Amino acid sequence: MAIEFERVGLGSKFVPYMEAWDYQIQLHEAVLEDIESPRVLFLEHEAVYTAGKRTEPEDLPLDGTPVVDVDRGGKLTWHGPGQLVGYPIVKLRKKSAIRLYVETIEEALINVVSELGIPTAQIKGRSGVWVPGKDGEQDRKIAAIGLRISQGVTMHGFALNCSNELTSYDQIIPCGITDAGVTTISAELGRTVTPEDIVDRVQIELERLLTPQVV
């Protein structure tokens, strides 16, 4: 089935996290019941920390900033302006093919970021997309993935760091990983690349790679 793409808020409109979460829940039910076609939401969030199911007390922000507990996998992360967030709400052909689904999201983002001239990779045992460190440098995460799959229908998704500031990560241990860093497309290239600049390419890659997996 063809996947629809909806741009909920990009550029000058930043979407509150709970507003987007409520919308995901509505779409999840509609896709599950075949009332709606599979859909991918693109947006930028208002600044927020979210904690997945594996978050530990020591992962929480050092300055006491409030955190939203969510029902996705993974640990603590940050969302905010300058970060392209994608929420695929799709029914998988094979409910058990979770690893394949994650790898597909990673592949789509790797293709887009690599086209910009940034060497990226998947790292065994760690989800997301990474810029490998050279000459003893730490690997740097450029895209995070956190998912929930209920009755074969996906929720939550990915966050690709485009032009967002990185100081918010100083207050946390992103995704619970202590031996790696965080980066953005803009930081790696030395020029500003916004979510609006790359959303078209991300959509093309997701449509091409995800469609065969979707009912």
Side-chain angles (χ1 to χ4, degrees), residues 25 30 35 41 60-61 64 82 85-86 93-94 99 105 109 111 119 125 127 141 144 164 172 190 207 210:
I25 292 170
I35 297 171
L41 308 179
L60 298 176
V85 173
R93 289 184 182 275
K94 295 183 179 180
R99 185 65 240 172
I105 300 294
L109 298 179
N111 290 346
S127 67
K141 179 175 274 193
N164 50 290
I172 64 173
E207 186 171 27
L210 264 188

Coordinates of all heavy atoms in Angstrom, one line a residue, residues 25 30 35 41 60-61 64 82 85-86 93-94 99 105 109 111 119 125 127 141 144 164 172 190 207 210:
I25 N -1.3 8.4 18.4 CA -2.2 7.4 18.9 C -3.5 7.3 18.1 O -3.9 6.2 17.8 CB -2.5 7.7 20.4 CG1 -1.3 7.6 21.3 CG2 -3.7 6.9 20.9 CD1 -1.5 8.2 22.7
A30 N -6.3 4.1 13.7 CA -6.9 4.2 12.3 C -6.2 3.3 11.3 O -6.8 2.6 10.5 CB -6.9 5.6 11.8
I35 N -8.6 2.1 8.5 CA -9.4 3.3 8.2 C -8.5 4.3 7.5 O -9.0 5.1 6.7 CB -10.0 3.9 9.5 CG1 -10.9 2.9 10.1 CG2 -10.7 5.2 9.2 CD1 -11.4 3.2 11.5
L41 N 4.8 11.0 9.6 CA 4.7 12.4 10.0 C 6.1 13.0 10.1 O 7.0 12.4 10.6 CB 4.0 12.5 11.4 CG 2.7 11.8 11.6 CD1 2.2 11.9 13.0 CD2 1.6 12.3 10.6
L60 N 18.7 11.1 33.9 CA 17.9 12.3 33.9 C 18.7 13.6 33.9 O 19.9 13.6 34.3 CB 16.9 12.3 35.1 CG 16.0 11.1 35.1 CD1 15.1 11.1 36.4 CD2 15.1 11.0 33.9
P61 N 18.2 14.7 33.4 CA 18.9 15.9 33.3 C 19.5 16.4 34.6 O 18.8 16.3 35.7 CB 17.9 16.9 32.8 CG 16.8 16.1 32.1 CD 16.8 14.8 32.8
G64 N 17.5 19.3 36.6 CA 16.2 19.0 37.0 C 15.1 19.4 36.0 O 13.9 19.5 36.4
G82 N 15.2 22.5 14.8 CA 16.4 22.2 14.1 C 16.7 20.7 13.9 O 17.6 20.3 13.2
V85 N 12.2 15.3 12.9 CA 11.6 14.1 13.6 C 10.7 13.4 12.6 O 9.9 14.1 11.9 CB 10.9 14.5 14.9 CG1 10.1 13.3 15.4 CG2 11.9 15.0 15.9
G86 N 10.7 12.1 12.5 CA 9.9 11.4 11.6 C 9.2 10.3 12.4 O 9.8 9.5 13.1
R93 N 4.2 -5.8 7.1 CA 3.8 -7.1 6.5 C 4.2 -8.3 7.4 O 3.4 -9.2 7.6 CB 4.5 -7.3 5.1 CG 4.0 -6.4 4.1 CD 4.6 -6.7 2.7 NE 4.2 -5.8 1.7 CZ 3.0 -6.0 1.0 NH1 2.3 -7.1 1.2 NH2 2.7 -5.1 0.1
K94 N 5.4 -8.2 8.0 CA 5.8 -9.3 8.9 C 6.0 -8.6 10.3 O 6.9 -7.8 10.5 CB 7.1 -9.9 8.5 CG 7.0 -10.6 7.2 CD 8.4 -11.3 6.8 CE 8.3 -12.0 5.5 NZ 9.6 -12.7 5.1
R99 N 13.8 -5.9 13.5 CA 15.1 -5.6 13.2 C 15.3 -5.0 11.8 O 16.0 -4.0 11.6 CB 16.1 -6.8 13.5 CG 17.5 -6.5 13.3 CD 18.0 -5.5 14.4 NE 18.6 -4.3 13.8 CZ 18.9 -3.2 14.5 NH1 18.7 -3.2 15.8 NH2 19.4 -2.2 14.0
I105 N 15.0 2.1 8.4 CA 15.1 3.5 8.8 C 16.5 4.0 8.8 O 16.8 5.1 8.3 CB 14.4 3.7 10.2 CG1 13.0 3.2 10.2 CG2 14.5 5.2 10.6 CD1 12.0 4.0 9.4
L109 N 18.3 7.1 6.3 CA 18.9 8.2 6.8 C 20.4 8.3 6.4 O 21.0 9.3 6.1 CB 18.8 8.3 8.4 CG 17.4 8.4 8.9 CD1 17.3 8.4 10.4 CD2 16.6 9.6 8.3
N111 N 21.7 7.1 3.7 CA 21.7 7.4 2.3 C 21.6 9.0 2.2 O 22.4 9.6 1.4 CB 20.6 6.8 1.5 CG 20.8 5.3 1.4 OD1 21.9 4.8 1.6 ND2 19.7 4.6 1.0
P119 N 30.5 11.0 6.1 CA 30.6 9.5 6.2 C 29.8 9.0 7.4 O 30.0 9.5 8.6 CB 32.1 9.3 6.4 CG 32.6 10.6 7.0 CD 31.7 11.7 6.4
G125 N 25.1 -3.2 17.7 CA 24.7 -3.1 19.1 C 24.2 -1.8 19.5 O 23.8 -1.6 20.6
S127 N 21.6 1.4 18.1 CA 20.7 1.8 17.1 C 21.1 3.3 16.7 O 21.8 4.0 17.3 CB 19.3 1.8 17.6 OG 19.1 2.8 18.6
K141 N 26.8 10.4 17.4 CA 25.4 10.1 16.9 C 24.8 11.3 16.2 O 24.8 12.4 16.7 CB 24.5 9.6 18.0 CG 23.1 9.2 17.6 CD 22.3 8.7 18.7 CE 22.5 7.2 18.8 NZ 21.4 6.6 19.7
A144 N 18.9 9.5 16.0 CA 18.5 8.6 17.0 C 17.2 7.9 16.6 O 16.4 8.5 15.9 CB 18.3 9.3 18.4
N164 N 20.0 21.8 14.9 CA 19.7 22.1 16.3 C 21.0 22.3 17.1 O 22.1 21.9 16.8 CB 19.0 20.8 16.9 CG 19.7 19.5 16.6 OD1 19.7 19.1 15.5 ND2 20.3 18.9 17.6
I172 N 22.5 15.7 29.9 CA 22.1 14.3 29.9 C 23.1 13.4 29.4 O 24.1 13.9 28.8 CB 20.8 14.1 29.1 CG1 21.0 14.3 27.6 CG2 19.6 14.9 29.7 CD1 19.8 14.0 26.8
G190 N 29.9 22.4 8.5 CA 30.3 23.8 8.7 C 29.4 24.8 8.0 O 29.8 26.0 7.7
E207 N 10.1 6.3 1.4 CA 9.1 5.8 0.5 C 9.6 4.6 -0.3 O 9.0 3.5 -0.5 CB 8.5 6.8 -0.5 CG 7.4 6.4 -1.3 CD 6.8 7.5 -2.1 OE1 7.5 8.5 -2.4 OE2 5.6 7.4 -2.4
L210 N 10.8 1.7 2.6 CA 9.7 1.2 3.5 C 8.5 0.5 2.8 O 7.9 -0.4 3.3 CB 9.2 2.3 4.4 CG 9.8 2.5 5.8 CD1 9.0 3.5 6.5 CD2 9.8 1.2 6.5

